[in-house]
Structures are given as C-alpha cells and as structure tokens.
Amino acid sequence: MILDKHYWTQRYQQDDTPWQLSHASAPLKHVISQIEDKNCSILIPGAGNSRDASYLLQQGFTNVHILDFAEPALESLQQQIESDEITLHLEDFFDHEGSYDFILEQTFFCALESRFRESYPKKCHDLLKSDGAIKGVLFQFESDRTEPPYGGNAEEYRRLFSPFFEIKSMENCEISEPDRRGRELLIHFLKK
C-alpha cells in the first residue's frame, strides 16, 4: 500500500477518517495554553480538517498555517473557517518551505510510513526558526499494522529526534482523549 496523495484524498472523500475529532484534543489545548505569543507562527502538518486550527483562532492566535496534501480535507476546513489568520497549504510536507516558531504534532507522524520517519525530524528542523519547537503528542504503542496509525516508543523517538532537537520533555500523556489514553507521549522538542 502506498500512502500517497491519492490514498489520503480517497480517505477524506469516503469520510474514512476515524482519527478526526469533533473538537480540539485535550493535549493540544494544554500545549496551546502554554504558548504566550499569539502572533507566533504555527504550522500544523497533515492537519486534515483540523479542529485544533479553530481552537487556535478562538484563543486569539493570528498566524496559523495548516498543511495537508488531501484537497478534500482543506476544502472542509475552509468551509468551517473563514479567517485571514489561517493560511492553508495544499502540498506535501516534505516539499513545503517556510519558517515557523512552532510545529504542532498530533496525528501526522503516526501516519508516516517508516521510510519517512528518518526524514521528518530533519524537515521539522529546517522549517523551524532558530528557537523553534515541536510540541504536541506522539503515539506510544507497539504495532505491526500495515496502515496508519503506526506505533512507536520513546526510545525510537529519542534516536530520531535527538540529532536535531533537545528533548525538553517526553512523558506519558495523562490528559489524552479516552480512546487514546495510555497510548500517547506529550512532547516538547526544542530545535538545536
């Protein structure tokens, strides 16, 4: 199975998106509450029809970037939100160019095939400003799944991210959504 633009577009067209929440997730609300500068630039990669974007706007953030390469996902988001404070990017994350203060991570990394996992930390490093950070959650469970979400663990994440980021924190998430409890790590990785 190739998880390309066609695959994800089809998932959205068929409304086969069980990972999508009807609200901003508790961990992301927590992360967002710790960001003081409402004008900072925030990228949410693989955001789909992100409820987190709506929440950011409600909290007064003014420079939010949503990236996905599934056009139906962004069309859905655009219908929900009409604001100049959100910029939609219809493109592949690995082709994207920009400069951000924060990357919010929730369900993007777990959707990447293993062949992209080595490239993700470097691309995040390239997209972040000198004092930028990745904040959010990474899944913590072992799995031999053949389609997303793919599992992972703290040891793997330390190996992948440590060359590019200082691991400020990576701990069991105690505020996960009910169906994700015990399966998430709350993260804060600061660009080196």
Side-chain angles (χ1 to χ4, degrees), residues 14 43 48 68 71 75 89 109 131 141 148 170 180 186:
Q14 296 171 351
L43 174 67
D68 208 300
E71 191 168 0
E75 287 172 353
H89 302 275
F109 186 81
D131 58 349
F141 62 90
M170 181 168 42
R180 299 174 183 177
L186 196 59

Side-chain angles (χ1 to χ4, degrees), residues 22 26 40 52-53 57 64 95 105 108 125 129 134 136 143 152 179 182-183 188:
S22 61
C40 69
D52 303 314
L57 282 181
V64 179
D95 294 332
E105 173 58 51
F108 184 61
H125 186 272
K129 295 177 183 176
I134 303 171
S143 171
D179 64 338
R183 301 175 54 172
H188 177 187

Side-chain angles (χ1 to χ4, degrees), residues 163-182:
F164 305 99
F165 292 90
E166 177 187 348
I167 310 296
K168 298 292 283 182
S169 64
M170 181 168 42
E171 56 200 27
N172 290 330
C173 184
E174 303 296 334
I175 54 174
S176 296
E177 295 297 313
D179 64 338
R180 299 174 183 177
R181 283 210 178 104

Side-chain angles (χ1 to χ4, degrees), residues 49-57 64 66 74-86 88:
N49 50 22
S50 172
R51 300 302 188 262
D52 303 314
S54 300
Y55 185 76
L56 283 162
L57 282 181
V64 179
I66 304 300
L74 293 183
E75 287 172 353
S76 173
L77 181 60
Q78 194 165 31
Q79 290 171 4
Q80 298 168 41
I81 300 173
E82 292 185 21
S83 172
D84 294 338
E85 285 140 2
I86 289 194
L88 304 180

Side-chain angles (χ1 to χ4, degrees), residues 85-143:
E85 285 140 2
I86 289 194
T87 303
L88 304 180
H89 302 275
L90 178 63
E91 64 183 309
D92 187 305
F93 171 75
F94 294 102
D95 294 332
H96 183 64
E97 297 295 328
S99 181
Y100 302 98
D101 294 298
F102 295 101
I103 293 176
L104 292 185
E105 173 58 51
Q106 183 164 233
T107 57
F108 184 61
F109 186 81
C110 73
L112 291 176
E113 298 168 86
S114 60
R115 63 191 172 114
F116 294 116
R117 287 198 166 192
E118 298 280 342
S119 303
Y120 176 82
K122 176 157 184 3
K123 184 62 180 180
C124 287
H125 186 272
D126 293 345
L127 290 171
L128 286 166
K129 295 177 183 176
S130 60
D131 58 349
I134 303 171
K135 291 185 167 204
V137 292
L138 291 170
F139 279 158
Q140 174 176 253
F141 62 90
E142 297 304 321
S143 171

